[in-house]
Amino acid sequence: GGYADNDIGAVSTTGHGESILKVNLARLALFHVEQGKSLEEAANASLGHMKSKVKGVGGIIMVNKAGEWAVKWTSTSMPWGAAKDGKLHSGIDFGDTSIINLS
């Protein structure tokens, strides 16, 4: 699922779909940002809530209105990618991030 608000940011989620829907993961993550949490804190709090509430795992890619982004997941791995300032950041496993210059 996904959710966007022009005044806060946007979220894309992946993982166990039923769990994601039960906790409205994308909106929950942006709610935390709206309440003053950083993107990383919001992602961790939302994924932690989903895991404790419905035992679901998944991942989140978030971007705020300033263009900052964060990616977090609780599953074993999650392919992801994000581009900013002419660089492509990507990864699959925890701690495994590659950065490629696009220019």
Side-chain angles (χ1 to χ4, degrees):
Y3 187 84
D5 182 310
N6 288 339
D7 294 326
I8 307 167
V11 179
S12 181
T13 66
T14 187
H16 186 246
E18 186 174 336
S19 297
I20 289 168
L21 289 171
K22 283 181 177 180
V23 299
N24 201 0
L25 185 62
R27 178 60 185 116
L28 177 61
L30 279 189
F31 170 78
H32 286 301
V33 172
E34 193 173 31
Q35 298 302 306
K37 287 189 164 87
S38 71
L39 294 174
E40 292 81 11
E41 291 169 335
N44 286 332
S46 302
L47 288 166
H49 174 75
M50 182 173 72
K51 194 167 191 175
S52 68
K53 179 102 175 161
V54 296
K55 309 223 182 317
V57 296
I60 294 178
I61 297 176
M62 301 180 68
V63 62
N64 65 17
K65 65 182 182 178
E68 301 164 325
W69 57 270
V71 59
K72 300 287 181 179
W73 64 93
T74 54
S75 52
T76 305
S77 62
M78 183 182 89
W80 64 274
K84 185 171 182 183
D85 298 329
K87 296 181 184 201
L88 174 65
H89 304 253
S90 63
I92 296 176
D93 297 314
F94 287 111
D96 177 30
T97 300
S98 67
I99 301 171
I100 299 170
N101 285 322
L102 297 173
S103 47

